[in-house]
Amino acid sequence: ALIKCMAESSKAFKRKHGRLALKGFKPAISDEQIEQKDTIFKHIADAKLDCAAKGPMLESLEIPEKEFRLLSKILIEEDEIVVIGGKHYMTKANFDQCRVVLTELGREAEFIDITDFRRRLGVGRNIAVAILEKCDALNITKRLPQGRKLVD
C-alpha cells in the first residue's frame, strides 16, 4: 500500500511489478535487442487470440532461447504480453478482450461455459482452456464443478 501511495503521489516514481522505480527507467538493452523485442511482439500480436507458441516462434524468428527469455521477460514487465499455459503468448490487449468476453458471459448466465467462451473468441478448445486457467490463476474466475464463475 505504501509503494502504491508513493507511486501515485510522485512524479519521479512509478509502481512496476509491486516495486518502486524511476519513471524514466528503461532496461539496459542494445538497439539490436530492442529490434528483436519489437519483432517478438509483432509475431505475438499477429497470432491474435490464437496465441503464439514459444517453440515455433523461436524457430521462425531465429532468436536464441536465452535471448528470447530475456526479451519476453521485458515484454511481460512492460505489461505488453501475457503468458498463457506456460509456453504460449498473447498481447495484453488481446487478453483484455478475452476478459471482456468472460464478463459478458458471466452476466448472461450463472456459470461460464467453456464451449460458449471458445465460440465467442473463435479459438480452439486447448487455447480457451489455457486462457480460462490463466484467468483462474489471476483470480478473475473461479473453477467450480458446474463451470466457472466471475470472482466478485
Side-chain angles (χ1 to χ4, degrees), residues 32-33 35-41 43 54-72:
E32 182 182 349
Q33 288 173 315
E35 204 172 290
Q36 288 176 326
K37 180 179 71 101
D38 293 343
T39 301
I40 291 170
F41 181 80
H43 190 86
K54 180 180 176 181
M57 203 174 353
L58 286 172
E59 287 177 24
S60 68
L61 299 178
E62 298 178 351
I63 297 174
E65 187 166 356
K66 184 177 179 182
E67 193 78 9
F68 179 84
R69 279 196 311 267
L70 168 73
L71 299 173
S72 62

Side-chain angles (χ1 to χ4, degrees), residues 111-146:
F111 295 99
I112 298 166
D113 180 61
I114 189 168
T115 304
D116 293 338
F117 181 65
R118 182 183 66 77
R119 285 185 184 143
R120 288 249 184 118
L121 291 180
V123 298
R125 182 172 175 79
N126 291 343
I127 294 296
V129 168
I131 294 167
L132 287 170
E133 287 174 352
K134 179 69 173 184
C135 290
D136 293 344
L138 294 173
N139 210 28
I140 298 166
T141 55
K142 181 175 177 136
R143 185 176 178 187
L144 301 168
Q146 306 91 332

Side-chain angles (χ1 to χ4, degrees), residues 40-41 44 72 75-76 79-83 89-92:
I40 291 170
F41 181 80
I44 293 169
S72 62
L75 284 166
I76 292 165
D79 209 25
E80 294 288 332
I81 64 171
V82 177
V83 180
Y89 299 85
M90 175 183 281
T91 65
K92 177 75 165 66

Side-chain angles (χ1 to χ4, degrees), residues 16-32:
K16 190 162 179 113
H17 312 293
R19 297 185 178 147
L20 212 52
L22 292 172
K23 283 213 179 195
F25 173 77
K26 299 275 187 215
I29 61 174
S30 70
D31 290 341
E32 182 182 349

